[in-house]
Amino acid sequence: MAKKQELQNNSWEYAPSLESTSHISIQKKYDLYIDGKWVKPSSGKYFKTINPANEEVLAEVADANEKDIDKAVKAARKAYTNVWSKMTGAERAKYIYRLARMMQEKARELAVIETLDAGKTIRESRDVDVPLACNHFFYYAGWADKLEYAFPNRNVEPVGVAGQIIPWNFPLLMAAWKLAPALATGNTVVLKPAETTPLTALKLAEIIDEAGFPPGVINIVTGYGDTGAALVNHADVDKIAFTGSTAVGKLIQQATAGSGKKLTLELGGKSANIIFDDAPIDQAVEGIVNGIFFNQGHVCCAGSRLFVQENVADLVIRKLKQRMESLYVGNPLDKNTDIGAINSKKQLETIEQYIQIGKAEGAEIFQPTCAIPSKGFYCPPTLFLDVAQSNVIVQEEIFGPVLTIQTFRTVDEVIQKANNTPYGLAAGVWTDKGSRIFNLTTKLRAGVVWANTYNKFDPTSPFGGYKESGYGREGGLHGLRPYVRLK
Ligand code: ADP
């Protein structure tokens, strides 16, 4: 009977398949990468970055203050004026192509470091984050000498010095999203990675150094929110690009208002994944799992609100619960793992708080009976049924593997419910009917709408939000626009 149950749940026991860490090199201590050199932080302060899967310290990282930011911005300005903005697009492209190729050569090392520092599964960092990051550089390198075709009949000029601040959910990929279009269009950069995930950006700095970029074109400074704020407030920064929480995005918007700085924001989300009764149900269930549970729900466009047409709701919920029973939660370095570690203790506490709120709001909770490691920060995949549109867990971004399910009867009803959120980053539609897909893609107020798939990314495709999910687009031709002045 137990065997039968096991087969039914598809919860096979796999032997561990751990990715080796023997081929990576992480320094004990990292300084700031400014003007092509590694420089000590002027405060002399360093902070620790840990592996969220086991809470072990990975490295110490410099804590940059206003003085360091000033140094980095000055280096970027000098490189902009003297070298990078004067170089032809074809020459700039050579550097960017070289960086992309060198990243590919070090892909395995980057993937392992990403998994160690961020807690995301090796499957994800190896198959998604790192290849996409490389492709992003390849793609924008291709634009560097073709800007007059991107903006026909216009004179294209770079903006100047870009300050770029990124979060912890896709550390290397977000660095690529920010750096590649800025560099291709002739801007120089000061980039600040998130405090909990600085290591792949610092590894990237080593590769940038090896690639021989002119000093000051790319500066990488580490630190907390105050370091980011110093970058935002620096008078000689021409453009700020920020990806992170809506709360901090609003602060940055206020700080830059009236300053003349260009600004793009990619903020939070509460994206709807919509399943119609004619959808291929098994694929849709896989799409739901991919949309919210893989990558620990740490995707800003995670499909965290599920809408299922009423007549197939029981079937979808049954299949979803069964699939959730087969998900592996645990060591992110294990290739079998589906859900790795939550990035930080703070984030785990936030998620747990929301789970308590969901219970208190009277929603029915389902969590599979999976084993969870005793050390490290882990959260089982969690489903909330019987939720109302007004529930906090339906309205607020949780940023964890937590899904709410609502049902609907008509197309108009689901459009209204899906749009009833302050956010508008992404949505998914699952149906066999092409006309319905086109109807929904025009009416859903979200920057990206996936049809019969979810969380698919490509450098050629623009990404960005509506409403409180931010503005500006990254990726594709649209991604060049925030980094140029057109005459
Ligand atoms: P999350 O809540 O997902 O951690 P945050 O918005 O707090 O996202 O962080 C995203 C990035 O913004 C990080 O690099 C962080 O250090 C930085 N940051 C936090 N506060 C500020 C601020 N006031 N100004 C500029 N950057 C900030």
Side-chain angles (χ1 to χ4, degrees), residues 165-168 192-195 223-230 232 242-246 248-249 251-252 346-347 399:
I165 300 167
I166 54 173
W168 47 261
K192 191 200 92 65
E195 51 271 37
Y224 290 83
D226 55 337
T227 311
V232 168
F242 172 78
T243 300
S245 61
T246 295
V248 173
L251 286 178
I252 293 178
K346 183 172 147 249
Q347 184 56 26
F399 227 56

Side-chain angles (χ1 to χ4, degrees), residues 230-409:
L231 184 55
V232 168
N233 293 322
H234 195 291
D236 202 29
V237 169
D238 300 295
K239 189 217 150 33
I240 294 290
F242 172 78
T243 300
S245 61
T246 295
V248 173
K250 286 181 181 176
L251 286 178
I252 293 178
Q253 203 171 10
Q254 283 162 9
T256 53
S259 69
K261 285 175 191 156
K262 280 178 82 133
L263 178 64
T264 41
L265 299 171
E266 201 258 276
L267 309 174
K270 193 73 182 173
S271 300
N273 209 355
I274 303 168
I275 319 283
F276 284 92
D277 60 2
D278 63 342
I281 299 295
D282 287 326
Q283 276 111 303
V285 167
E286 213 44 45
I288 298 165
V289 168
N290 175 28
I292 183 70
F293 297 136
F294 288 170
N295 206 356
Q296 304 73 246
H298 289 164
V299 190
C300 21
C301 52
S304 52
R305 289 182 301 148
L306 180 64
F307 294 95
V308 187
Q309 203 156 21
E310 199 176 73
N311 53 333
V312 287
D314 286 347
L315 176 68
V316 170
I317 291 166
R318 183 164 51 77
K319 284 185 180 261
L320 181 60
K321 284 182 175 174
Q322 200 178 352
R323 180 69 180 95
M324 285 168 74
E325 287 286 357
S326 71
L327 292 173
Y328 272 60
V329 182
N331 187 349
L333 276 177
D334 189 331
K335 287 166 220 159
N336 299 315
T337 298
D338 297 301
I339 302 178
I342 302 298
N343 181 250
S344 65
K345 187 157 185 264
K346 183 172 147 249
Q347 184 56 26
L348 179 60
E349 283 167 1
T350 303
I351 298 168
E352 284 172 345
Q353 238 168 15
Y354 274 112
I355 292 176
Q356 289 314 320
I357 291 173
K359 286 183 188 167
E361 284 180 319
E364 182 194 329
I365 185 171
F366 171 80
Q367 290 175 320
T369 49
C370 56
I372 283 188
S374 55
K375 219 164 163 40
F377 315 130
Y378 294 92
C379 178
T382 304
L383 201 64
F384 276 113
L385 300 133
D386 279 339
V387 295
Q389 189 72 20
S390 57
N391 285 167
V392 171
I393 52 167
V394 174
Q395 287 294 324
E396 294 185 12
E397 184 179 39
I398 299 173
F399 227 56
V402 181
L403 178 67
T404 61
I405 301 193
Q406 291 168 274
T407 58
F408 68 93
R409 289 184 185 168

Side-chain angles (χ1 to χ4, degrees), residues 97-110:
Y97 276 126
R98 189 184 303 158
L99 177 60
R101 283 196 305 271
M102 289 173 73
M103 284 171 70
Q104 278 186 324
E105 282 163 18
K106 295 180 200 288
R108 194 49 74 99
E109 185 181 14
L110 287 167

